[in-house]
Amino acid sequence: MVVKDKRGRRRYIAFSVTAKSPPSRGELITMMRDRSEEMEIEPPKLIQFDGEKGIVRCSHLLRERTVEMIISLGGKGELETKTLRTSGTLKSLRER
């Protein structure tokens, strides 16, 4: 059995947030957790967030649903989210 069979493959998704008053890291984690419960998926792990751009980690099987969840965070109009890129490694994602 290969190690990745046990751990699972991961995907890293870069996204940007546009808002009049950007959410804090804690507020964003809460919003993602609530939205993922509504969509009945495992909440992604927030790796990095600086107020404008961030990176989340998810399973490769949940990548499409996670992208939908990130885009839907801005549903009420105050917050606009946009996914930028998806990668299998953090290094290649940060280089771009």
Side-chain angles (χ1 to χ4, degrees):
M1 180 180 281
V2 181
V3 173
K4 289 196 178 188
D5 288 339
K6 292 180 185 177
R7 184 192 76 183
R9 292 187 288 178
R10 297 176 177 167
R11 293 294 177 258
Y12 298 93
I13 303 169
F15 65 96
S16 65
V17 175
T18 308
K20 292 178 183 176
S21 60
S24 68
R25 181 181 174 88
E27 292 171 341
L28 187 62
I29 290 171
T30 303
M31 289 168 50
M32 287 193 317
R33 186 179 33 211
D34 293 344
R35 185 65 184 133
S36 62
E37 286 176 5
E38 291 173 15
M39 294 180 72
E40 298 178 354
I41 62 171
E42 182 180 335
K45 170 99 170 123
L46 185 63
I47 302 295
Q48 176 180 333
F49 184 65
D50 65 2
E52 294 179 6
K53 292 184 180 178
I55 299 174
V56 295
R57 181 181 69 207
C58 66
S59 164
H60 75 286
L61 299 173
L62 296 174
R63 185 193 64 82
E64 292 177 9
R65 299 278 304 203
T66 303
V67 168
E68 290 175 19
M69 189 265 309
I70 291 170
I71 292 171
S72 70
L73 287 176
K76 296 183 180 176
E78 297 176 7
L79 184 71
E80 183 179 333
T81 54
K82 178 179 155 185
T83 57
L84 304 173
R85 187 177 239 8
T86 301
S87 178
T89 63
L90 275 172
K91 182 178 180 180
S92 66
L93 191 62
R94 287 178 175 154
E95 286 175 355
R96 297 179 180 173

